Structures are given as structure tokens and as C-alpha cells.
Amino acid sequence: MDIQTLDYIIIFGFFAIVLSIGIYVSKKSGKNSSEYFLSGRTMPWWLLGFSMVATTFSTDTPNLVTDLVRTNGVSGNWGWMCFLVTGMLTVFVYAKLWRKSNVKTDLEFYELRYGGKAASFLRKFRAVYLGVIYNVITMSAVTLAAIKIGGVMLGLEPWVTVVAAGLITVVFSALGGFKGVVYSDFLLFFVAMAGAIGAAYYLINIPEVGGIQAVIENDNVKDKLGILPNMSDTKAVITLLVIPLAVQWWSSWYPGGEPGGGGYIAQRMLAAKNENHAIGATFFFNIMHYALRPWPWILVALASLVVYPDIASIHEAFPNVAEDKLGHDLAYSAMLTKLPSGLLGLVLASLVAAYMSTISTQLNWGSSYIVFDFYKQQINPNATEKQMVAVGRISTAVLMVLSAFLALAMQNAMGIFNLLLSFGAGTGLIFILRWFWWRINAWSEITAMFSSGILAILLETTSLRSFLFDTDTGIFPDWGELPFIMVVTTIIWLTATFITQPETKDVLRSFYKKIQPGGPGWSKIVDEAEADNADIVDSKEKWSVPSGIMAMLLGVVLIYSIMFATGYWIYGETKLALILTAVVVVSGILLIRAWNKIKDSVL
């Protein structure tokens, strides 16, 4: 691949702009911990929305999508697209609650909702578990994608890619804090989107591919086009559609798709000006994330099947790529090598943008856990603002180094995705119910977290998987691994909930008074408070959950309709595209009406 001077100008110019942003905001960001991690809670919805989208524009995502499309077709993406349902639930139910909580991190929520030593342990343990272990695994997947892109497109050794990309990102992240991340995300979004769309348009029309019609008619692609799986294939329907939409969205915890909100999505909601800005940001994110952004990657993945029909053809074209890094996910990078000068520079800059946006967010989010939920709680309760910012910057660098070393030992993005899903399987229902059912306690979360993690490790490292799920001799179908973890974990945490003591009256009443969750799940606590003449109900607050759920359903219909309509317009299936476009208009009008009702109930 021939990289010209113009490409280098674009790439290094982009680097210079992003680093300038970090330097520009560094003085104000370092003023105190609230500025460094939440930008003083002054962010508007549109800026936070762009930041959420840019963050999930990660370098490993196009690789993952390509792997899914080449392996299972377009419908293979339902494994992550199902999380739109929980995304919409976050928009219209939980965004308001998170912003009202006024916590600095979503882990601080534990000592708002629960009490005693169990809540304290849960907060500290999750700070290390999510902020370090889980976060490092996630970042290593992103860095692995950067290694593959660097190897195929630039011929770089893995360690060179890791050092070059990691050093720039960690300097920028440590300097600018959350404000630097969000401001740069605004730029990164447009660069990444322009690169993805430009690459898709060009690559679909190169001579080896021959245009969209040639792709659709190609024998390697025909059976991969369905947005829904083949309904005559029972196994595909169950694994690709039924399990994700019926079970996975509410039962699994996954970064960016947490039931009830959490992680870096919660961080952005907590940084919003008010509750309405938190809702607006998450809604904008879900539209872009699920409805529009995946299609450029999907098109490149389909085109790659024409040029590189199997892994052997990729290996033949790129013999210098190490065998342990070969996989279907490499096809995306392989296709990008065919871009012309100028567009190549833009796409490389967009991939750098995607990498920096995701890693900088993960670094700032992870270090916020380390600072607020571990360092200040466990090590130095009297830490000054200056000390907390310093620890935040040091932990940023440490997290980057750990993820870089792990990335060098990894092989495949889809394997990491599946492992992360397994680790969070069965825990999601707790994150949904803990706001609306008084009986959930700290032990519910502790047992769920350890159960899903231990089961995932046992299935990954022992013969238990083959004993339970082997196609010929296993007790369960070979697609039943994730549901198995979900069911067992759910049984364990529900049992723990009922055999352990509930949270104290003081803790439950304090939580209710601050959040005003409402609903039948809190009626026992409200009735007992009234009997004790304790005033915990704000009569001005309306219970907005029923209208929120209606808005959620309309939002799901709207966004999935946009996604399907976009696909059918691309495929040239005009009749279906027109019908779905009409559904988009109708569901959009109904959603606006539902939103106005919710908006009136939000202060």
C-alpha cells in the first residue's frame, strides 16, 4: 500500500488538533476532580450525544461487524443490536433517575441505594473489577484492532502500533480529562463518520467489486444479506434473534449497553446540565449507534466477501501478518488498503479517531472509578482535589500500559465480545429492578457478579462446556451456553436476595426521598413511612415509568425501522423501504407526543 504525503498531512494534522484540544482544556480540567471527571456537570445534550457515539466508534467495532457479517451474515449483528431495547429503557426511564442521583460515578450509587459493609465492599470491588480488569480487557480489544489495522495497512509490528497509538492517547487523556475527551469526541465523530462512509462508497465501486448490485448478486454474498436470519433455520433464529431480543438485552451487562444505564454512558448522563439534557443525549446516541452508523461497515464487510471470500485468501494477500492474528475480522483492514491517496489518509485518520475516542473515554471512566470509588474510599479518605486529579492522571497511564500488554497476547475481537457477554450474563435484571424494587440488596449484586464470572471462567477453561453443550453428547443444545449462565446466575442472586436481610428502613427511605422512583415495587416502604409519619414522597412528582415504557417501545420501533429502511434502500428493495419509511414517520410522531408527556414531568 502506497501512503502519500497528502495522507501523512491529514493524519498528523488530525493528531495536532486533538492534542491541542487536550492542552487547551488541561488547566481548567485539572482544577478539581469534578471538572476532571464530569466537566462540572455543565454539558449540553448534543455534545454528550456526539461523545457517546464517538466513544462506541471504536477501532474494534468495524472489525467485529465484519467478522459477524462474514460468519453469520448481516443478521449476525443482532447479538449487539438487541441492546437497543435496554438503550431505549435508559433514555426514557433511567436517564432521569441517574441525573437526579447526583453521584460522581455510577458506583457511588451503591452506597446511595444500599448500606453497611456489603455496599462498601461492592463499591470498592467493582471499582477494581470494572475500572481495572474489565476496562483493561475492553481496551485491549480496541488495541488489538489497531494492531491488525497497523499490520495490514502500514506494515507495522504490533509493539510499534501499541506504543505509537497508546502514547499519544494517554498523553491527551491525562491532560484534558473528561472535558478534553468530550470536546475532541465532537471532532472525532465527524472524522470517523466521514472516513467510514467514504470508504464504503469507494470500496463498493472498485473494479474488483463492481458496485452494489454486483455485491448483492455475488454467490459469496447472497446468503449473507438478510437483516433477519433465515426463518427456516431454527438454530439461527434462536441464536441470532430470539435469545438476543427475548433474553439477552435485559439479562446481560455489557459496556455501553448496560441494562438501567451505567459505565461511560452513566458518566455522560451525570455530566449533563439537567435531566432533560441527559435524556436527549442518550436518545441521540441510540439513533446514531443502532440505526445509521453500522451500515458503512456492513457494506465493506459484504464487499470483502467478493474480494477475499475466505481467510486463506486474506493470508495469501498479506503473508506478513502473523498467523495468530488471522481471522475474518482482518478483512476490513484488507479492504482499506485499496483506497486512493487522500481518502486513505482520511480513513486512517478516522480509524485513529475511533481508537483515541474509545480509549480516552475508557481511560477517564476507569480512572474515575479508581479515584472516587477506591482511592478516596479505601486509601486516602481525606484526599485533596489536587491529589485526586494526580491519581487520576497516574491511573490513566497505568491502565493504558496494562491494556497494551494484554492486546499483544490476544487474537480475535469476536471472542472477546462473547467473553464479556458471558461475564455479565444474568446480572442485567438486577440493574433494571434495583431502582424499582425495594427488596434488591447489596448481596443480590455481589452474588450475581461472582456467579456469572465464575461460570464464564469454568466454561472457558474446563471441560464443562463440552459436557453441557456438545452437539452430540451434551445435556443442552450447543447454542445454550449464554442462556445457561443467565438462568443459573438469576436463580442464585434471587435466592441470595430472599435469604439475606433487606436494606434498613433508613437506607431505603433516604433513597426513595432523593430519587422518587415510585411504583408498586416501593409501596411497602411508602406505606410504612406514612404509618411512621415520615415524609418521603414528593407530591409534585408524577410516576412517569408507564409513559416512559410506552416511549421506549415507540423508540425501539422508530430506530429499528430506520435501520431496516436504510438497509432496504441500499439493497434497492423500494417497496419494503417505502413501507418502513412510513413506519418511521408514524412512530416518530407518536414518540414526540409521548416525549412531551415525559418532559412535562421532568423538572
Side-chain angles (χ1 to χ4, degrees):
M1 185 178 63
D2 189 17
I3 300 179
Q4 302 294 321
T5 303
L6 176 60
D7 301 315
Y8 284 115
I9 291 173
I10 294 172
I11 295 167
F12 286 108
F14 168 77
F15 275 142
I17 293 172
V18 172
L19 285 173
S20 297
I21 292 172
I23 294 168
Y24 176 76
V25 303
S26 61
K27 186 174 181 180
K28 189 171 184 182
S29 293
K31 186 169 136 185
N32 56 56
S33 58
S34 180
E35 280 288 343
Y36 190 77
F37 293 112
L38 292 172
S39 192
R41 303 185 192 269
T42 59
M43 288 289 176
W45 69 268
W46 57 271
L47 194 54
L48 292 171
F50 277 117
S51 178
M52 290 180 189
V53 182
T55 292
T56 54
F57 230 120
S58 163
T59 43
D60 66 322
T61 313
N63 288 19
L64 172 65
V65 170
T66 300
D67 201 338
L68 291 168
V69 171
R70 288 174 63 91
T71 305
N72 296 310
V74 176
S75 62
N77 287 282
W78 283 102
W80 64 269
M81 291 192 302
C82 68
F83 287 111
L84 169 65
V85 183
T86 191
M88 286 291 96
L89 198 62
T90 297
V91 171
F92 295 112
V93 175
Y94 294 101
K96 169 186 175 182
L97 301 175
W98 275 113
R99 190 60 187 85
K100 285 174 69 175
S101 72
N102 210 37
V103 294
K104 290 186 174 70
T105 70
D106 57 318
L107 298 189
E108 187 181 338
F109 171 87
Y110 289 129
E111 292 188 290
L112 176 67
R113 173 62 176 82
Y114 313 126
K117 292 182 179 179
S120 179
F121 165 79
L122 185 59
R123 180 179 180 184
K124 294 166 190 171
F125 182 85
R126 293 280 282 185
V128 176
Y129 174 67
L130 293 179
V132 179
I133 300 171
Y134 216 94
N135 199 21
V136 164
I137 293 173
T138 304
M139 288 192 295
S140 65
V142 178
T143 303
L144 173 63
I147 289 172
K148 293 192 175 189
I149 291 168
V152 170
M153 300 189 70
L154 302 173
L156 298 177
E157 291 291 328
W159 71 268
V160 176
T161 302
V162 167
V163 171
L167 186 61
I168 294 170
T169 306
V170 78
V171 169
F172 152 72
S173 303
L175 283 174
F178 182 75
K179 183 170 286 186
V181 170
V182 173
Y183 282 6
S184 64
D185 276 348
F186 184 72
L187 167 67
L188 300 177
F189 168 83
F190 290 102
V191 173
M193 203 72 195
I197 293 172
Y201 181 81
Y202 181 86
L203 293 171
I204 282 289
N205 292 291
I206 60 176
E208 299 100 303
V209 177
I212 187 65
Q213 196 59 39
V215 172
I216 292 171
E217 294 173 357
N218 189 278
D219 290 338
N220 296 327
V221 178
K222 282 181 181 178
D223 62 343
K224 306 286 187 183
L225 293 170
I227 303 174
L228 293 174
N230 184 349
M231 294 301 167
S232 63
D233 187 342
T234 304
K235 179 181 176 181
V237 171
I238 292 173
T239 56
L240 299 179
L241 194 65
V242 174
I243 291 175
L245 286 177
V247 181
Q248 191 170 299
W249 72 267
W250 58 263
S251 66
S252 292
W253 187 98
Y254 184 76
E258 302 90 342
Y264 55 79
I265 300 298
Q267 185 187 30
R268 278 151 180 75
M269 291 188 287
L270 293 169
K273 285 182 178 180
N274 55 42
E275 295 157 30
N276 279 322
H277 280 268
I279 294 170
T282 47
F283 184 54
F284 177 81
F285 159 68
N286 279 277
I287 292 177
M288 296 302 299
H289 181 63
Y290 294 100
L292 300 175
R293 193 194 61 175
W295 278 109
W297 298 332
I298 290 172
L299 289 173
V300 174
L302 293 172
S304 76
L305 285 164
V306 179
V307 182
Y308 305 106
D310 51 32
I311 294 176
S313 60
I314 299 174
H315 192 200
E316 183 180 352
F318 303 95
N320 293 329
V321 175
E323 289 194 16
D324 67 335
K325 297 293 189 252
L326 280 173
H328 283 295
D329 58 341
L330 206 62
Y332 188 81
S333 305
M335 290 296 291
L336 296 184
T337 63
K338 299 182 178 297
L339 296 174
S341 179
L343 181 55
L344 177 60
L346 176 63
V347 170
L348 283 172
S350 75
L351 293 172
V352 171
Y355 175 84
M356 292 182 70
S357 176
T358 302
I359 294 294
S360 60
T361 288
Q362 296 287 148
L363 289 173
N364 187 266
W365 165 57
S367 63
S368 73
Y369 284 176
I370 293 170
V371 170
F372 288 125
D373 304 301
F374 187 77
Y375 173 73
K376 188 168 174 58
Q377 295 296 309
Q378 183 72 27
I379 299 174
N380 188 3
N382 299 314
T384 65
E385 292 294 329
K386 187 176 179 180
Q387 287 174 321
M388 286 194 287
V389 171
V391 171
R393 285 175 168 157
I394 292 169
S395 60
T396 295
V398 172
L399 289 172
M400 186 71 247
V401 171
L402 292 175
S403 66
F405 277 113
L406 184 57
L408 292 171
M410 285 185 165
Q411 180 178 355
N412 183 274
M414 190 158 69
I416 299 167
F417 174 77
N418 290 332
L419 180 62
L420 292 180
L421 277 182
S422 297
F423 263 78
T427 63
L429 191 59
I430 294 177
F431 303 125
I432 292 174
L433 292 179
R434 64 187 182 180
W435 296 86
F436 296 109
W437 185 28
W438 70 274
R439 194 60 180 82
I440 296 286
N441 61 27
W443 289 106
S444 308
E445 297 213 25
I446 291 171
T447 52
M449 177 177 60
F450 280 102
S451 298
S452 62
I454 291 169
L455 282 170
I457 292 170
L458 287 174
L459 289 172
E460 187 68 28
T461 60
T462 69
S463 58
L464 183 61
R465 175 187 277 122
S466 59
F467 173 72
L468 292 173
F469 307 110
D470 185 87
T471 306
D472 299 319
T473 61
I475 300 172
F476 304 109
D478 59 352
W479 46 261
E481 182 177 333
L482 201 61
F484 173 80
I485 297 176
M486 294 172 186
V487 171
V488 174
T489 298
T490 301
I491 291 172
I492 290 172
W493 73 253
L494 278 172
T495 302
T497 299
F498 286 109
I499 66 174
T500 55
Q501 290 295 315
E503 301 299 334
T504 65
K505 285 184 179 180
D506 289 343
V507 168
L508 294 172
R509 290 178 182 181
S510 174
F511 176 79
Y512 192 96
K513 187 171 184 177
K514 184 177 182 67
I515 304 298
Q516 297 294 305
W522 286 94
S523 58
K524 182 177 185 297
I525 304 304
V526 171
D527 291 344
E528 288 178 352
E530 288 179 355
D532 294 340
N533 293 319
D535 185 17
I536 65 171
V537 178
D538 185 348
S539 58
K540 295 178 182 178
E541 282 273 347
K542 299 177 183 177
W543 193 46
S544 61
V545 172
S547 56
I549 292 174
M550 177 58 68
M552 176 202 81
L553 295 174
L554 290 169
V556 168
V557 172
L558 172 68
I559 294 175
Y560 278 148
S561 297
I562 295 172
M563 182 193 74
F564 275 81
T566 302
Y568 288 130
W569 281 117
I570 292 170
Y571 291 169
E573 298 187 29
T574 307
K575 186 176 180 180
L576 281 171
L578 284 170
I579 292 172
L580 286 162
T581 301
V583 174
V584 169
V585 173
V586 173
S587 58
I589 292 170
L590 294 175
L591 181 59
I592 290 171
R593 292 179 180 175
W595 161 247
N596 286 332
K597 289 182 181 179
I598 297 173
K599 193 175 179 181
D600 291 340
S601 70
V602 178
L603 298 177

